[in-house]
Amino acid sequence: MRAKALILAAVIALPMPTLHGEAQEIGQPSRGLILAQRLCAECHAVQKEYSRSPNANAPRFQAIASIPGMTATALSAALNTSHRAMPNIMLAADEQADIIAYILSLK
């Protein structure tokens, strides 16, 4: 039940399309790369050309992006759910959107 509440909260927190019917890009991949290099690269291979993560238990960002059906909503839920091995990094909504946009750009 808690997981459903987290996913619902993540969906609500994501930026929505504008009122003019145009889809708004969720996050900026270039800013997401910079954040990922600063916050995530200690454990994860954040760039596409890296074949292994520094921490063998941390998946490469490209591997995460390549999971069939991976979406911004799924990534948001994952980032907002505590993981035993992952530190509890508190990201602002725009930072999270940027990292998600970057990961999805690796598809």
Side-chain angles (χ1 to χ4, degrees), residues 4 7 14 24 29 41 43 46 57 64 81 85 98 100-101:
K4 286 182 182 180
I7 291 171
L14 289 173
Q24 187 176 33
C43 296
V46 299
N57 295 320
I64 295 168
T81 304
D98 292 341
I100 289 170

Side-chain angles (χ1 to χ4, degrees), residues 63-85:
I64 295 168
S66 298
I67 295 171
M70 183 54 69
T71 64
T73 302
L75 283 169
S76 180
L79 287 171
N80 289 309
T81 304
S82 295
H83 294 81
R84 194 176 55 169

Side-chain angles (χ1 to χ4, degrees), residues 24-103:
Q24 187 176 33
E25 183 178 331
I26 298 175
Q28 294 185 17
S30 59
R31 289 193 323 213
L33 171 59
I34 293 166
L35 279 168
Q37 288 172 324
R38 184 167 47 96
L39 300 173
C40 311
E42 184 176 325
C43 296
H44 295 274
V46 299
Q47 292 181 280
K48 201 174 207 175
E49 52 274 353
Y50 296 162
S51 61
R52 293 187 331 198
S53 290
N55 178 336
N57 295 320
R60 296 171 38 246
F61 275 18
Q62 184 178 16
I64 295 168
S66 298
I67 295 171
M70 183 54 69
T71 64
T73 302
L75 283 169
S76 180
L79 287 171
N80 289 309
T81 304
S82 295
H83 294 81
R84 194 176 55 169
M86 192 165 127
N88 189 18
I89 297 173
M90 300 303 292
L91 297 171
D94 61 328
E95 292 173 325
Q96 181 171 311
D98 292 341
I99 289 176
I100 289 170
Y102 173 68
I103 291 172

